[in-house]
Amino acid sequence: MSLPQATMQHDWRVADADEAAVGRLAERIALKLAAGDLVALSGDLGAGKTTLARALIRAALGDAEAEIPSPTFSLVQTYTSPRLELAHLDLYRIAGDDDLIELGFDELVATGAAIVEWPERAPSLLAVNRLDIHLAQGASPEQRTLALKGYGTWGPRLARLSAMSDFLERHPPWGTARAVYLQGDASTRAYTRLWDAGRSAILMDQARQPDGPPIRNGLPYSRIAGLAEDVRPFVAVTGTLREAGFSAPEVYAADLERGFLLLEDFSDRIFGAEVATGTSQAELWRAATDTLVALAPLPVPDKIALPDGTSHRIPPQDAGVLGIEVELLPDWYWPAVYGTPVPADARAEFVAAWDRVFARLANGHKGWVLRDYHSPNLVWLPHREGARRTGLLDFQDALQGSPAYDLVSLLQDARVDVAPALEDELLAYYLEKRSSEPAFDAASFRFAYAALGAQRNTKILGIFARLTMRDGKRTYLRHIPRLWRYLARGLTHPDLSALARWYDRHFPDAVRHAPPDIPHRESRL
């Protein structure tokens, strides 16, 4: 068995931890577990390796009462968690590396995470990227001192866990709270629900970093597209929205430099989940439309002050932002479908057609654009009143642009089907609610709605292709047919006919329903 060599990147020592503290540490490690991981547990007999392994597996399973038998005699026990496959191995009785081959160790690590007791019995394990945890007796017989060492990709993850634990310890009672993994979004942000004595909070974990390497004029995609690269924009926008009476999360504590926030927990009543359990979609989407009607007249401040003395400016949703987003389709979706780069003439025609649309949009009314205003980011709060019934979760990438963008994000939800009849009903409802505003132009708004809907769905096609090709996140592919249906709706606007012809010519119906990561064999180019 030949495994790649790795270099240690970080170590962390946890001294004199009692059983509860060891359990909390296991919960936090479980937050960062990923396929391909090896967690190697070493220490004398009775040091607590199996206790730690069980706590880690239960945390990953999300079941504190799960039965976790010792693998002393079976050598390996496997589990399926909501996020990944787990294997628990006890190597005390193996003779050496050859026995690992019989256990299928390579496959276990390739498809999931392996938690190994007595790793020293198989020397080749020392070659993989891993998290080593050595347990020894602490100051009392009931305490343990743990020495953690992260290798390869576990180096930065362990450094982040150490910083997270330090942040929580500084803000009681959250240092002793239970930590439960929450499914995040498509970004680099991670979320954890914390529980303490019946009270809960959400931990947002976002280390400062750009979204990818420089791609144009020395800037990464995130900078060009106006995406948040740290937690400061979230803190700025949530404060502004709360002051205006909207249901944005309260920030209980913040470390702006390291990128940790403790936030109000709105519960799990996410719009998408509510629809799945039978709540009326029409009621939810109308409430969210009411929130946008209330948001429309709210002025966008020139800059928003932050607690550390810095400030945040809301970027404009200009042609640069809109353009770099639609170019995700030729950059990522086209190669995913056709297996080749987009031809220069097709790309030039695409960019020119969109530039004409963006020039017209530049003249419209500008207001708040929360940007990801759709079902995964909206929470149903029926006990509140008016616009506050919609809980807002994701707005750190907010822009100053056309309010039509958020409405079409809602009514052409990328994750949930919205019937054309409901879309038409709520678009008319929104227009009627704003019709009394002296400067409101319904025809201009309808154009912006159609154009920005086409722009957004084009962008998301590219993002989902990128998530699949670059990040291996294939679950987003199931939404592709829905996006094409929405895109076709928007392109029926007569002023978007040039764009419609480009899409029809290069992505006919047969291509639109082909798996986007497999080159289509009947390209019409």
Side-chain angles (χ1 to χ4, degrees), residues 248-414:
E250 180 182 353
V251 178
Y252 298 144
D255 186 330
L256 300 183
E257 188 61 33
R258 293 191 294 181
F260 295 109
L261 301 178
L262 278 171
L263 303 172
E264 178 183 3
D265 185 359
F266 280 156
S267 83
D268 285 327
R269 301 194 67 174
I270 303 297
F271 272 31
E274 286 292 298
V275 171
T277 57
T279 303
S280 166
Q281 184 182 30
E283 180 184 11
L284 294 169
W285 264 246
R286 181 176 287 262
T289 302
D290 284 333
T291 302
L292 291 180
V293 171
L295 181 65
L298 182 67
V300 180
D302 180 55
K303 63 180 179 180
I304 305 170
L306 288 163
D308 64 350
T310 63
S311 62
H312 174 64
R313 292 181 181 273
I314 304 297
Q317 190 182 40
D318 57 19
V321 170
L322 296 168
I324 196 69
E325 290 180 335
V326 294
E327 288 184 51
L328 289 169
L329 184 133
D331 288 343
W332 289 95
Y333 190 80
W334 184 296
V337 171
Y338 292 115
T340 60
V342 60
D345 58 342
R347 185 188 190 97
E349 182 186 359
F350 175 85
V351 170
W354 273 115
D355 282 346
R356 290 190 291 271
V357 173
F358 299 152
R360 180 169 169 183
L361 289 171
N363 299 320
H365 168 73
K366 300 297 183 290
W368 281 94
V369 176
L370 301 185
R371 206 170 190 177
D372 283 309
Y373 195 84
H374 60 159
S375 61
N377 301 327
L378 303 176
V379 185
W380 183 224
L381 305 174
H383 56 286
R384 300 188 180 185
E385 296 182 356
R388 300 186 70 248
R389 293 187 301 161
T390 305
L392 309 173
L393 296 182
D394 190 327
F395 40 71
Q396 60 279 328
D397 299 327
L399 300 170
Q400 184 173 6
S402 172
Y405 188 90
D406 283 343
L407 184 64
V408 78
S409 300
L410 173 70
L411 302 186
Q412 295 186 358
D413 192 302

Side-chain angles (χ1 to χ4, degrees), residues 72-93:
T72 300
F73 297 104
S74 62
L75 300 185
V76 60
Q77 296 281 348
T78 58
Y79 306 88
T80 299
S81 82
R83 290 191 291 133
L84 75 166
E85 301 296 315
L86 298 168
H88 180 196
L89 298 92
D90 185 325
L91 305 185
Y92 186 75
R93 296 191 300 114

Side-chain angles (χ1 to χ4, degrees), residues 172-523:
W174 305 112
T176 57
R178 288 189 54 230
V180 179
Y181 175 86
L182 286 180
Q183 181 64 46
D185 50 22
S187 74
T188 58
R189 291 180 293 276
Y191 300 90
T192 303
R193 175 169 280 125
L194 303 173
W195 288 100
D196 181 85
R199 181 187 178 195
S200 67
I202 300 298
L203 173 67
M204 180 192 289
D205 175 356
Q206 183 186 7
R208 178 175 175 79
Q209 61 181 19
D211 184 14
I215 60 171
R216 185 174 298 172
N217 299 325
L219 298 176
Y221 174 84
S222 57
R223 197 76 50 80
I224 302 169
L227 302 179
E229 296 181 350
D230 61 23
V231 298
R232 285 181 170 83
F234 185 96
V235 174
V237 177
T238 199
T240 303
L241 293 174
R242 286 177 58 80
E243 287 177 6
F246 294 93
S247 292
E250 180 182 353
V251 178
Y252 298 144
D255 186 330
L256 300 183
E257 188 61 33
R258 293 191 294 181
F260 295 109
L261 301 178
L262 278 171
L263 303 172
E264 178 183 3
D265 185 359
F266 280 156
S267 83
D268 285 327
R269 301 194 67 174
I270 303 297
F271 272 31
E274 286 292 298
V275 171
T277 57
T279 303
S280 166
Q281 184 182 30
E283 180 184 11
L284 294 169
W285 264 246
R286 181 176 287 262
T289 302
D290 284 333
T291 302
L292 291 180
V293 171
L295 181 65
L298 182 67
V300 180
D302 180 55
K303 63 180 179 180
I304 305 170
L306 288 163
D308 64 350
T310 63
S311 62
H312 174 64
R313 292 181 181 273
I314 304 297
Q317 190 182 40
D318 57 19
V321 170
L322 296 168
I324 196 69
E325 290 180 335
V326 294
E327 288 184 51
L328 289 169
L329 184 133
D331 288 343
W332 289 95
Y333 190 80
W334 184 296
V337 171
Y338 292 115
T340 60
V342 60
D345 58 342
R347 185 188 190 97
E349 182 186 359
F350 175 85
V351 170
W354 273 115
D355 282 346
R356 290 190 291 271
V357 173
F358 299 152
R360 180 169 169 183
L361 289 171
N363 299 320
H365 168 73
K366 300 297 183 290
W368 281 94
V369 176
L370 301 185
R371 206 170 190 177
D372 283 309
Y373 195 84
H374 60 159
S375 61
N377 301 327
L378 303 176
V379 185
W380 183 224
L381 305 174
H383 56 286
R384 300 188 180 185
E385 296 182 356
R388 300 186 70 248
R389 293 187 301 161
T390 305
L392 309 173
L393 296 182
D394 190 327
F395 40 71
Q396 60 279 328
D397 299 327
L399 300 170
Q400 184 173 6
S402 172
Y405 188 90
D406 283 343
L407 184 64
V408 78
S409 300
L410 173 70
L411 302 186
Q412 295 186 358
D413 192 302
R415 312 291 182 87
V416 176
D417 286 332
V418 180
L422 181 58
E423 178 184 2
D424 292 343
E425 174 189 334
L426 292 179
L427 173 57
Y429 174 75
Y430 179 94
L431 294 173
E432 190 277 328
K433 286 288 187 180
R434 294 195 60 196
S435 62
S436 60
E437 298 176 20
F440 184 70
D441 183 333
S444 295
F445 188 93
R446 283 186 177 277
F447 170 77
Y449 180 91
L452 291 170
Q455 188 273 347
R456 178 174 169 81
N457 289 304
T458 296
K459 173 188 73 172
I460 299 175
L461 284 169
I463 288 175
F464 286 177
R466 183 177 66 182
L467 286 168
T468 302
M469 297 174 70
R470 187 188 71 181
D471 304 332
K473 298 179 179 180
R474 298 185 56 83
T475 58
Y476 294 94
L477 296 181
R478 69 181 185 272
H479 303 301
I480 296 294
R482 178 184 304 113
L483 294 171
W484 275 114
R485 291 195 297 271
Y486 291 151
L487 185 53
R489 289 187 207 174
L491 292 174
T492 60
H493 193 287
D495 293 350
L496 299 177
S497 58
L499 275 173
R501 288 192 295 272
W502 188 94
Y503 285 89
D504 289 342
R505 184 164 65 254
H506 296 296
F507 291 98
D509 286 343
V511 175
R512 296 178 187 188
H513 298 293
D517 59 338
I518 301 175
H520 196 270
R521 296 181 180 179
E522 298 181 359
S523 169

Side-chain angles (χ1 to χ4, degrees), residues 6-17:
T7 303
M8 187 182 75
Q9 297 182 3
H10 189 79
D11 61 356
W12 179 29
R13 185 173 180 268
V14 180
D16 301 330

